[in-house]
Amino acid sequence: MIFYKIRVEGRVQGVGFRPYVYLIAQQLKVHGYVKNRGNYVEILIDKNPDSFLETLQNNLPPQALITNLDYKKIIIQKKYSQFDILDSKDAKTTLKGILPQDLKICKDCLQDLKNHQRFYQYAFNTCTNCGPRYSILHSLPYDRKNTSMQDFRLCKDCLKDYQDPNNRRFHAQTLSCKNCTISLSFHHKDTHFHNDEAIHACAMAILEGKIVAIKGVGGFTLCCDATNSSSIKRLRNLKNRPKKPFAIMLKDLDSINEFAEITPLQKKALLSKEAPIVLLQKKQPLQEIAPNLKQVGVILPYSSLHHLLMEKINRPIVFTSANLNGEPIITTEKELLNKLGNVFDAHLTHEREIINPIDDSVVQQVGEGMQIIRLARGYAPLHLHFTQLNENKDTLIGMGAEQKITLAYKKGKEVIVSPYIGDLNNPTTLARYEKNYNFFTQIYQLEPKKIISDLHQNYHSHQISKNLSCKKNILWEKKQHHYAHFCAIFADSLLQDKNLKIEDKVLGVIWDGTGLGKDGKIWGGEFIFGNLKSYKRVGYFENMEIYGGETSIKEIYKIAYSLVRQFGDNDDILWLKQKYIQKYPKIFPFFDTIIDKKLHVFHTTSVGRIFDAMACLCEICDYNSYDCEAPIMLEQHYKEEIKESYHFLITSKHEVCIKSMMKEILKDLKNNEAKEKIVSKFINTLVAIIFKFAHIMQTKTLMFSGGVFMNKALCEAIMRENSKYALRLFFHQHLPSNDSNISLGQVISIT
């Protein structure tokens, strides 16, 4: 008997794809089966597939994506009298199999929270179109037995829904209801509440000014009333977070309008299936939430639990990850009590285990596009398909750098990038990093041919790569940090423009805070010309001597003084020294001795360090109490209407000399010019340097990567200036501009 075997690859797990295929089969009256085969779905039908395939592709489930589809005619003896969903078949999973991502609650499930008997106000209501996926996944294929839902037995009504092709919960792996509930409990001192009462008690505690830890989709969050100043101050003190902005959760779009402006693009992001934190322009000062910033991070409820809580609270709440500073998000009650027991007053928890911890994603609008700041829930794991690459069979793993770490896995044209993990400067993050490595290598059954790390020997990822290479006899390559950034933005650009070719030569502007160069110095103000096959460092900012060692990265007044000593005259140095002797009597004037004796010095070309110095010189920020505080604060003072810039020089060797810029900045400072004018002229100068360099290199295509290009004001100023030149500009769209893209850049080049 003639049958047609169809193979469907893409995002076809955890999105209701098999039930969707079943309904089409019923509609077209075909016999056969559908089943998971690990990284693809296999369909067998007994009729010509043309009509079936057309119907299949025209009305996919909301979150499904087909990346490849083919079929072949076969002859088998078995007869099929109906169409069935067969048990998943364990098979080798490849990188073509897209891991399911955690999805925001759908409109239908929201409606069920209000009026469905079994799901009325049920905190874990989901269907095939929504709910947790990656965070509860043990292994593929995505079946209940391979998730943390395996611990919860379906009641007879849920089982009926699960088996009913006409029900949207047909084969919904996260299904449960009030009759087979996932237990929810709220604990405050010696008082305990469960299920519906737990939600009510949690809401009342927040309204009473309590700090509450809430177990959500990817981990615990710390929450308090965002209109209660004393609660926010107490949370800041207990969490040792004096200035870093908090995100806030609001009930709905109407609630947001009271606190912030929303553009159509931001609204789309807020309502998207990814449901990230979106940076919005403030309408109110919100000083306790986001001190001295023009923007505030806003998120809408994205699970049944969050919706039920926000309905009862009906006011904004602080919504921040529950973790110690620099550590990953906490996922278990035991760890929460051990590490943060003194921070919160009460906690709301549930029985469903979080297998893969994941933070909330963060995005911001830059120009007419959205920029990802943190690659996490909803966006990650990120699957990328590069049609322009060759079908190389070797498996490569990019180990990332040190900060904002991710892992990347490449085979052929496919790349998987892990969610944001954190900074590898503490044991907890290192353990999470290794757990992620093991999860992805096991779930995809990878046998890496090569691992690629950063050049920097002091990076933990470098040391781990070295150990893995020795232990498992894997090839180990070390890739220069800024070339990895360049490769990452080239890869991102390939996805944005299908006409771009891997052999096209482009100019990469790679600016960040730190990265070891091939000469052993710290780079960070780089111009790279090339492609994914070859590259050359064609320009850079002049060498700067920074004194104070590692402490200067936080105590940035040391950077400011170092640059004034290097580029200013005696009057400039005396002017700043007099200020610092008063502000830092324990450091000055002894700091001059350190400089004179060339002690505790590092050499750098970093534009990120210039931003630090500028923030300090303008008396905007002297100390980085959180990552990138100084450049974030500096950005707040940029004014688009100010068009002037400072002078600079690019030498015949393509070195960007900033002495004249620094001299003019110091002159403006001593003349008490407004901060807004100085900051705007400084950022305009950076823009002018970029376009001057593009002219020197006679290039028509510019690509931007590195943490400096997280700066919204700088990016938008570049976009505006380009109206004069009409060059092709590429900024990151699929990954953050910061070091989270390093792992992708490590695996993507073909050198």
Side-chain angles (χ1 to χ4, degrees):
M1 188 173 179
I2 296 175
F3 281 85
Y4 297 88
K5 184 177 283 188
I6 303 166
R7 179 188 177 107
V8 187
E9 297 172 347
R11 191 180 299 118
V12 291
Q13 301 210 46
V15 292
F17 192 79
R18 285 174 295 168
Y20 167 67
V21 171
Y22 179 92
L23 292 174
I24 293 174
Q26 298 299 306
Q27 174 189 334
L28 298 179
K29 294 181 171 53
V30 300
H31 299 155
Y33 65 76
V34 59
K35 63 180 173 183
N36 269 338
R37 297 283 296 188
N39 61 292
Y40 66 95
V41 165
E42 180 179 288
I43 306 168
L44 187 74
I45 58 175
D46 62 353
K47 291 183 180 178
N48 186 292
D50 291 347
S51 178
F52 185 91
L53 294 178
E54 182 181 355
T55 307
L56 180 77
Q57 296 177 82
N58 283 344
N59 192 28
L60 287 170
Q63 317 308 338
L65 171 69
I66 295 176
T67 57
N68 187 53
L69 190 154
D70 57 48
Y71 71 90
K72 61 183 178 180
K73 183 190 294 187
I74 62 172
I75 298 175
I76 57 177
Q77 299 303 315
K78 185 174 179 178
K79 291 185 178 180
Y80 289 88
S81 58
Q82 59 186 26
F83 192 90
D84 296 311
I85 297 179
L86 300 184
D87 290 340
S88 298
K89 183 79 173 177
D90 291 334
K92 186 171 182 179
T93 303
T94 71
L95 292 185
K96 291 182 179 180
I98 301 177
L99 284 178
Q101 298 158 331
D102 299 293
L103 305 173
K104 181 190 76 170
I105 185 173
C106 68
K107 291 180 180 179
D108 291 327
C109 283
L110 271 179
Q111 195 60 38
D112 285 347
L113 286 180
K114 300 174 183 177
N115 55 27
H116 194 292
Q117 181 182 359
R118 282 170 34 237
F119 302 107
Y120 177 72
Q121 295 199 350
Y122 178 53
F124 303 98
N125 180 29
T126 66
C127 69
T128 54
N129 297 323
C130 66
R133 299 289 191 268
Y134 168 76
S135 59
I136 62 169
L137 188 66
H138 282 292
S139 62
L140 290 176
Y142 176 71
D143 288 331
R144 195 178 181 97
K145 66 180 181 180
N146 293 328
T147 73
S148 55
M149 290 302 295
Q150 66 181 339
D151 301 327
F152 305 98
R153 188 174 179 179
L154 292 171
C155 68
K156 64 176 183 178
D157 291 323
C158 281
L159 185 60
K160 183 180 178 182
D161 288 349
Y162 187 86
Q163 296 172 337
D164 181 2
N166 297 310
N167 193 300
R168 77 173 192 281
R169 293 183 173 88
F170 182 43
H171 277 256
Q173 310 303 336
T174 53
L175 178 57
S176 69
C177 76
K178 286 193 168 186
N179 298 332
C180 51
T181 184
I182 298 171
S183 180
L184 184 69
S185 58
F186 179 75
H187 308 275
H188 179 219
K189 296 180 179 178
D190 295 328
T191 308
H192 310 286
F193 298 90
H194 299 282
N195 300 326
D196 290 353
E197 291 181 353
I199 295 173
H200 179 78
C202 180
M204 292 305 102
I206 291 173
L207 291 172
E208 290 167 6
K210 301 289 191 301
I211 298 169
V212 178
I214 299 172
K215 185 177 180 181
V217 172
F220 278 92
T221 51
L222 293 173
C223 303
C224 69
D225 184 349
T227 65
N228 187 323
S229 296
S230 61
S231 295
I232 300 168
K233 288 176 183 176
R234 192 160 64 90
L235 178 57
R236 287 199 177 279
N237 289 335
L238 291 170
K239 206 184 176 193
N240 191 26
R241 187 170 170 167
K243 295 180 182 178
K244 188 176 181 179
F246 288 131
I248 56 174
M249 176 176 278
L250 289 115
K251 176 183 171 183
D252 51 31
L253 284 175
D254 290 338
S255 302
I256 294 175
N257 283 322
E258 182 183 344
F259 296 93
E261 305 281 352
I262 313 176
T263 69
L265 203 59
Q266 291 165 343
K267 178 181 176 181
K268 183 179 179 181
L270 284 163
L271 297 176
S272 70
K273 63 182 176 63
E274 293 85 5
I277 295 169
V278 182
L279 299 187
L280 303 178
Q281 195 77 7
K282 291 179 183 175
K283 281 184 179 178
Q284 299 182 18
L286 300 175
Q287 271 296 94
E288 295 92 348
I289 303 296
N292 304 313
L293 299 180
K294 294 178 181 178
Q295 293 181 308
V296 61
V298 173
I299 190 169
L300 291 174
Y302 54 86
S303 73
S304 298
L305 175 60
H306 293 123
H307 274 279
L308 294 172
L309 278 170
M310 294 308 292
E311 281 292 330
K312 292 181 181 296
I313 296 170
N314 200 25
R315 66 179 66 170
I317 63 170
V318 167
F319 197 77
T320 185
S321 298
N323 61 341
L324 290 176
N325 191 24
E327 290 193 2
I329 191 169
I330 290 171
T331 60
T332 67
E333 187 176 15
K334 181 180 179 181
E335 186 183 9
L336 180 77
L337 293 169
N338 286 341
K339 292 188 173 181
L340 296 178
N342 65 324
V343 174
F344 58 88
D345 304 304
H347 66 284
L348 181 70
T349 187
H350 58 76
E351 290 182 317
R352 188 179 64 209
E353 183 184 2
I354 297 171
I355 307 298
N356 299 303
I358 191 164
D359 287 275
D360 295 313
S361 292
V362 184
V363 302
Q364 69 172 347
Q365 182 172 350
V366 178
E368 297 304 313
M370 298 302 292
Q371 181 188 67
I372 298 176
I373 295 174
R374 183 164 67 199
L375 182 75
R377 180 187 49 76
Y379 294 99
L382 176 65
H383 177 270
L384 303 172
H385 176 75
F386 295 95
T387 57
Q388 302 96 323
L389 296 183
N390 295 326
E391 195 70 66
N392 190 309
K393 298 300 182 183
D394 292 340
T395 298
L396 308 178
I397 302 183
M399 303 297 285
E402 181 77 356
Q403 296 180 314
K404 301 172 182 65
I405 202 89
T406 61
L407 291 158
Y409 305 80
K410 175 182 178 292
K411 188 169 185 179
K413 299 174 183 286
E414 315 300 325
V415 177
I416 300 289
V417 182
S418 78
Y420 160 89
I421 300 168
D423 299 345
L424 297 182
N425 55 3
N426 64 76
T428 307
T429 313
L430 279 169
R432 188 70 54 81
Y433 176 73
E434 294 194 38
K435 182 181 178 183
N436 271 256
Y437 176 91
N438 292 331
F439 173 79
F440 284 97
T441 53
Q442 289 169 12
I443 206 165
Y444 285 114
Q445 302 167 54
L446 296 172
E447 295 179 3
K449 175 76 176 293
K450 184 192 293 184
I451 52 176
I452 304 110
S453 75
D454 197 275
L455 282 176
H456 205 305
Q457 294 182 9
N458 293 335
Y459 284 0
H460 289 88
S461 58
H462 181 104
Q463 293 299 320
I464 291 170
S465 300
K466 181 179 179 180
N467 294 338
L468 279 170
S469 175
C470 295
K471 184 179 178 181
K472 299 191 175 183
N473 196 27
I474 306 170
L475 291 175
W476 174 31
E477 178 186 335
K478 296 169 279 292
K479 180 175 284 189
Q480 199 279 322
H481 187 89
H482 298 93
Y483 182 50
H485 268 308
F486 175 81
C487 292
I489 183 57
F490 203 109
D492 205 325
S493 305
L494 287 173
L495 297 169
Q496 297 175 40
D497 184 354
K498 300 301 182 185
N499 294 319
L500 185 67
K501 299 179 177 60
I502 57 175
E503 61 269 16
D504 289 350
K505 290 198 171 183
V506 306
L507 180 63
V509 185
I510 315 298
W511 293 352
D512 62 3
T514 185
L516 185 66
K518 288 189 173 182
D519 58 3
K521 295 179 181 179
I522 302 299
W523 293 0
E526 312 309 307
F527 295 89
I528 291 176
F529 191 74
N531 50 38
L532 294 184
K533 292 183 176 181
S534 63
Y535 79 103
K536 184 179 180 181
R537 184 194 189 208
V538 294
Y540 46 87
F541 275 64
E542 67 178 294
N543 179 67
M544 294 169 278
E545 294 182 348
I546 308 298
Y547 291 86
E550 293 262 332
T551 63
S552 64
I553 306 303
K554 288 188 177 292
E555 298 168 355
I556 57 174
Y557 58 87
K558 295 177 180 177
I559 299 175
Y561 190 73
S562 296
L563 294 191
V564 172
R565 275 286 303 250
Q566 183 174 349
F567 298 112
D569 57 28
N570 288 334
D571 288 341
D572 298 326
I573 297 168
L574 182 60
W575 168 78
L576 189 59
K577 186 190 295 186
Q578 287 173 340
K579 289 186 172 213
Y580 283 177
I581 285 174
Q582 294 178 354
K583 291 181 76 172
Y584 309 106
K586 293 182 179 179
I587 305 294
F588 290 90
F590 313 111
F591 198 60
D592 281 312
T593 304
I594 292 173
I595 297 176
D596 291 338
K597 293 187 175 182
K598 302 286 185 181
L599 301 174
H600 306 295
V601 61
F602 65 89
H603 297 84
T604 184
T605 63
S606 168
V607 175
R609 298 288 80 88
I610 303 175
F611 268 90
D612 286 338
M614 283 298 303
C616 193
L617 289 171
C618 293
E619 298 184 345
I620 294 169
C621 178
D622 282 1
Y623 183 88
N624 275 323
S625 68
Y626 61 88
D627 186 42
C628 297
E629 179 179 359
I632 290 171
M633 297 294 290
L634 186 82
E635 182 184 352
Q636 310 304 306
H637 295 269
Y638 181 79
K639 298 291 184 184
E640 182 182 335
E641 59 269 21
I642 296 174
K643 305 298 182 183
E644 301 105 300
S645 60
Y646 295 113
H647 290 92
F648 61 90
L649 173 68
I650 299 177
T651 70
S652 58
K653 293 183 178 180
H654 297 167
E655 182 180 59
V656 180
C657 296
I658 61 170
K659 185 178 179 69
S660 57
M661 179 185 78
M662 290 300 300
K663 285 289 296 176
E664 290 176 19
I665 288 168
L666 290 166
K667 181 180 178 181
D668 279 353
L669 286 166
K670 289 191 286 186
N671 288 337
N672 294 315
E673 293 283 2
K675 295 175 186 177
E676 287 75 14
K677 182 176 181 180
I678 297 170
V679 170
S680 301
K681 288 173 71 176
F682 164 64
I683 290 178
N684 291 344
T685 305
L686 295 179
V687 174
I689 289 169
I690 289 168
F691 284 97
K692 178 67 173 177
F693 213 96
H695 174 72
I696 291 171
M697 296 302 300
Q698 296 185 318
T699 184
K700 294 293 184 183
T701 305
L702 291 173
M703 296 180 179
F704 303 88
S705 190
V708 167
F709 294 106
M710 304 292 284
N711 188 300
K712 175 181 168 73
L714 174 62
C715 293
E716 292 182 338
I718 293 168
M719 294 171 184
R720 288 192 300 272
E721 183 68 9
N722 192 47
S723 62
K724 301 176 186 176
Y725 303 99
L727 305 181
R728 286 199 305 172
L729 306 181
F730 290 98
F731 296 87
H732 280 284
Q733 288 184 8
H734 295 85
L735 286 101
S737 182
N738 59 34
D739 279 6
S740 285
N741 71 52
I742 288 290
S743 63
L744 170 65
Q746 288 169 339
V747 299
I748 204 68
S749 73
I750 53 177
T751 54

